[in-house]
Amino acid sequence: MAAPHRPYQPGHATSQTLHHAWRTAPNSAPHLLRHLSSLSPSPRLLDVGAGPGTLATSLASHLAPLHGHVTATDISDSVLARAAAHAKEQGVENISFRTASVYELPFKDGEFDVVHAHQVLCHLDGPVEAIREMLRVTKPGGLLALREADMKMWGFWPESEVLERFSALMARVMVANGGEDRAGRRLVEWVLQAGVERGAVEAGFGTWCFAEEGDRRVWGIAMVERLREGQVRGKGIELGLVTEEGVEEMVKAWEEWMGREEAVLGIVNGEVVVRKPDVRA
Amino acid sequence: MAAPHRPYQPGHATSQTLHHAWRTAPNSAPHLLRHLSSLSPSPRLLDVGAGPGTLATSLASHLAPLHGHVTATDISDSVLARAAAHAKEQGVENISFRTASVYELPFKDGEFDVVHAHQVLCHLDGPVEAIREMLRVTKPGGLLALREADMKMWGFWPESEVLERFSALMARVMVANGGEDRAGRRLVEWVLQAGVERGAVEAGFGTWCFAEEGDRRVWGIAMVERLREGQVRGKGIELGLVTEEGVEEMVKAWEEWMGREEAVLGIVNGEVVVRKPDVRA
């Protein structure tokens, strides 16, 4: 049995999941889409920690022409119910949902052609153990595709000392919750620690760019929500990392940033794709 | 006449251009390759600040099936001679070379379908003026494609205080040379200042990932060369930013980094593609 782990700390309030819903396979899983043509017919994909399910649903649409199926898991029943409603709304049918812990996936060894997790390991206190469990349910010759943020690689323009403080606060809250703010750059290390050979790992970085007005607003409003209602405020104040006034200053800085047409925010995510060996050692 | 500008400071010694030669259109100009199919037949592309010419030559190979032609410029005769030799060696014939300053391009208004510059503006004290000149030689309806490093968005693993000091030193030398260490995130601002409307700008970030052994060695050896022979040492010591011992410590840190199979370096580049309006205001 696995050792007890901290539950998922950020929670699933709208303030937390608003910008998660912006995620689609093309903007958040390009490292995996590149490999779709190499999959066997009718591929089975497991999306671990699917949250509000927009990325899982988008992956399912991409698998539909291949007669593939997506199983989406999350530790939270309520967020999975929202994910199921989203898939239905989108008319996507080749997807099913199951509540599960990443540490104890209720699936047989080698059950999936592809196992995928996006921004999941950064929240865990046992990322290597989680990777081992995901590899267990990956079929020999199949793929494990991981993508994690690297909060030390954000780039804001215009320069803003307040926004720099905000991103440092986000990172500190993540670490205080038992997560890792530089998960993106640690993925190679973690998969090696989980027993993968270096030659089976393809590593890269993918970015999100919030620069056009609509994208600036999606991100900015989500960050304001996190400051006003979410974890960043609650935990940040509880831990003495920020004051009420500091929070209001950050809200103002985001609002100003959103309104500037030269504004840019670059966010960097580490990506790995692991090909599980076909013959076990 | 343009005001006098600082000449290109880094110089063209092998220590400076070694890793430039690693650049190809797929790894360094994906933002432009995406638009190739939208170009008119027989497109003419200008590559400004081509350096050793591997990227210009790679772009020329990609334009060959479209019967396109690349004109590559650089301020340095000697580096252009190497670029010409490289193109010949690769058997690429749809490319020509011309010594020129980015501030005074020896071409007519609207002469090119595409104008491209990669890691050029970050070295200039007049990036906006350079963009205006590049736009002048872009045909109405044509494209200006820019890509610039953002040295504040490097991500190393394993953590290394010495390598962090190295990248800060690189950034300070670049700034001391009159350049901009965060050019990547400033591209949108600069093209707007050059008179482009926000709606004509597509912005993003592209990455290089040095993680596989061969890539780690290309980058690590280039950085060691820069420390041992290049600008980083010379200018860094001259400005009192680093000592001889500090340089040797950085060399050792790179050599150790290169040898570790979990090592990763993510480098982030800002990208913009501007569509020049077809009817002038």
Side-chain angles (χ1 to χ4, degrees):
Chain A
M1 272 304 291
H5 287 282
R6 256 177 204 249
Y8 179 69
Q9 295 289 314
H12 298 91
T14 309
S15 60
Q16 204 57 40
T17 59
L18 188 63
H19 70 284
H20 294 175
W22 174 86
R23 296 174 189 172
T24 64
N27 75 27
S28 300
H31 58 306
L32 176 54
L33 291 185
R34 275 196 289 279
H35 290 279
L36 283 196
S37 61
S38 79
L39 299 180
S40 38
S42 308
R44 298 167 57 90
L45 184 147
L46 175 65
D47 187 34
V48 173
T54 50
L55 182 45
T57 300
S58 178
L59 285 168
S61 330
H62 281 80
L63 288 187
L66 310 172
H67 308 287
H69 182 88
V70 170
T71 303
T73 66
D74 202 276
I75 193 73
S76 157
D77 283 335
S78 63
V79 80
L80 271 192
R82 276 154 57 198
H86 171 75
K88 202 171 172 186
E89 207 179 279
Q90 299 289 311
V92 172
E93 293 180 348
N94 58 330
I95 186 166
S96 55
F97 299 89
R98 185 139 177 204
T99 309
S101 159
V102 59
Y103 297 114
E104 290 175 279
L105 294 167
F107 306 109
K108 294 195 296 277
D109 293 3
E111 194 164 333
F112 296 95
D113 298 274
V114 182
V115 177
H116 170 265
H118 186 271
Q119 316 279 36
V120 174
L121 300 173
C122 60
H123 299 294
L124 303 180
D125 58 8
V128 174
E129 207 176 322
I131 290 169
R132 274 200 206 102
E133 178 65 353
M134 289 191 273
L135 281 168
R136 181 186 67 75
V137 302
T138 307
K139 97 174 172 197
L143 299 176
L144 172 66
L146 304 172
R147 195 181 205 237
E148 295 292 334
D150 198 303
M151 298 205 49
K152 292 280 168 65
M153 292 172 81
W154 285 31
F156 287 103
W157 194 260
E159 277 193 300
S160 160
E161 188 260 320
V162 180
L163 292 182
E164 295 293 340
R165 256 193 283 139
F166 169 83
S167 78
L169 173 63
M170 290 262 289
R172 290 173 77 183
V173 168
M174 181 175 265
V175 171
N177 279 335
E180 166 58 84
D181 56 346
R182 295 150 310 166
R185 71 185 77 173
R186 297 192 68 176
L187 286 172
V188 172
E189 178 187 45
W190 286 344
V191 297
L192 297 179
Q193 286 175 358
V196 173
E197 304 249 324
R198 183 62 187 82
V201 185
E202 190 184 289
F205 287 91
T207 63
W208 288 327
C209 177
F210 299 91
E212 298 211 15
E213 191 179 3
D215 292 329
R216 291 198 311 266
R217 298 196 74 78
V218 163
W219 193 261
I221 289 170
M223 295 303 107
V224 167
E225 283 292 309
R226 282 194 178 195
L227 282 163
R228 286 243 158 95
E229 316 288 344
Q231 267 271 320
V232 174
R233 180 198 204 101
K235 193 94 186 181
I237 290 175
E238 179 194 321
L239 294 172
L241 300 173
V242 68
T243 61
E244 292 282 352
E245 296 70 40
V247 166
E248 283 312 310
E249 200 183 7
M250 289 174 185
V251 167
K252 257 192 222 136
W254 273 112
E255 282 168 349
E256 200 205 317
W257 178 86
M258 275 188 263
R260 294 182 74 153
E261 66 169 1
E262 81 278 25
V264 172
L265 169 59
I267 288 191
V268 182
N269 304 286
E271 300 165 345
V272 297
V273 176
V274 173
R275 173 79 62 179
K276 183 169 169 174
D278 223 330
V279 180
R280 313 251 180 133
Chain B
M1 274 301 294
H5 286 282
R6 257 178 205 249
Y8 179 68
Q9 295 289 314
H12 296 90
T14 309
S15 60
Q16 206 55 43
T17 59
L18 187 63
H19 70 284
H20 294 176
W22 175 86
R23 297 174 189 173
T24 64
N27 74 27
S28 300
H31 58 305
L32 176 54
L33 291 185
R34 275 196 290 278
H35 290 279
L36 283 196
S37 61
S38 78
L39 299 179
S40 39
S42 309
R44 298 166 56 92
L45 184 148
L46 175 65
D47 187 35
V48 173
T54 49
L55 181 45
T57 300
S58 178
L59 286 168
S61 330
H62 281 81
L63 288 187
L66 310 172
H67 307 287
H69 182 87
V70 169
T71 303
T73 66
D74 202 277
I75 193 74
S76 156
D77 283 334
S78 63
V79 80
L80 272 192
R82 275 154 57 198
H86 171 75
K88 202 169 171 189
E89 209 177 277
Q90 299 289 311
V92 172
E93 293 180 346
N94 58 330
I95 187 166
S96 56
F97 299 89
R98 185 141 176 202
T99 310
S101 160
V102 59
Y103 298 114
E104 290 174 281
L105 295 167
F107 306 110
K108 294 195 298 274
D109 293 2
E111 195 164 332
F112 295 94
D113 297 274
V114 182
V115 177
H116 170 265
H118 185 272
Q119 316 280 35
V120 174
L121 300 172
C122 60
H123 299 295
L124 302 180
D125 57 9
V128 174
E129 206 175 322
I131 289 169
R132 274 198 206 103
E133 178 66 353
M134 289 191 273
L135 281 168
R136 182 186 65 76
V137 302
T138 306
K139 96 174 175 198
L143 300 176
L144 172 65
L146 305 171
R147 195 181 206 238
E148 295 291 335
D150 198 302
M151 299 204 50
K152 292 280 168 67
M153 292 172 82
W154 284 32
F156 287 102
W157 194 260
E159 276 194 301
S160 161
E161 187 261 319
V162 180
L163 293 182
E164 295 294 340
R165 257 193 281 137
F166 169 84
S167 78
L169 173 64
M170 290 263 288
R172 291 173 76 183
V173 167
M174 180 175 264
V175 171
N177 279 335
E180 165 59 84
D181 56 346
R182 294 151 309 168
R185 73 186 74 174
R186 297 193 67 176
L187 286 172
V188 172
E189 178 187 45
W190 286 344
V191 298
L192 297 180
Q193 286 174 358
V196 173
E197 304 249 326
R198 183 62 187 83
V201 185
E202 189 184 291
F205 286 91
T207 63
W208 289 326
C209 177
F210 299 92
E212 298 211 13
E213 190 179 3
D215 293 330
R216 292 198 310 266
R217 298 197 73 79
V218 162
W219 192 262
I221 290 171
M223 296 302 106
V224 167
E225 284 291 308
R226 283 195 176 192
L227 281 164
R228 286 243 158 95
E229 316 287 345
Q231 268 269 323
V232 175
R233 179 198 204 101
K235 194 94 185 185
I237 290 176
E238 180 194 319
L239 294 171
L241 301 173
V242 67
T243 62
E244 292 283 351
E245 295 70 40
V247 166
E248 283 312 309
E249 200 184 7
M250 289 173 185
V251 167
K252 257 192 223 136
W254 274 112
E255 282 169 349
E256 201 206 317
W257 179 87
M258 274 187 262
R260 294 181 73 152
E261 66 169 1
E262 80 278 25
V264 171
L265 169 59
I267 288 192
V268 183
N269 305 285
E271 301 166 344
V272 297
V273 176
V274 173
R275 174 78 63 179
K276 183 169 169 172
D278 223 331
V279 180
R280 314 249 179 133

